[in-house]
Amino acid sequence: MTDPNLYLIIATEGLLGLGLVTAGMLAGWRGWLALKRQELAMAGAHDPAPQAPSASQRIEIADLKERMRKLEAIAAGVEL
């Protein structure tokens, strides 16, 4: 059972198996990257030019900015 050739065979089979698994994972990774590139290309082709925010969105952003200013003033210890 302690034949040196047995250890050589086991090591070789292990390396071959690891190589096959690595090659399979690399092929899957490349396929996933190709899929993501295709999704990004399709999304970029169908998206219209960005539009200006609507009035309600601008009001909401202004409200959030005012709240942030108040919170920053409170954090700094400044009385409003």
Side-chain angles (χ1 to χ4, degrees):
M1 200 74 189
T2 60
D3 185 23
N5 290 334
L6 179 65
Y7 293 132
L8 181 63
I9 292 171
I10 291 173
T12 304
E13 288 177 352
L15 286 174
L16 286 174
L18 181 62
L20 287 172
V21 168
T22 303
M25 291 180 72
L26 181 61
W29 175 252
R30 287 180 179 164
W32 183 82
L33 285 177
L35 174 67
K36 291 300 173 183
R37 282 189 194 109
Q38 185 180 12
E39 286 178 357
L40 287 173
M42 288 178 61
H46 295 297
D47 285 344
Q51 299 175 353
S54 67
S56 64
Q57 289 174 336
R58 284 190 227 143
I59 291 170
E60 186 175 343
I61 290 172
D63 183 45
L64 290 173
K65 285 182 180 180
E66 182 62 29
R67 288 182 188 179
M68 285 297 299
R69 285 188 201 108
K70 288 180 181 178
L71 288 172
E72 287 172 351
I74 291 170
V78 177
E79 269 192 46
L80 299 175

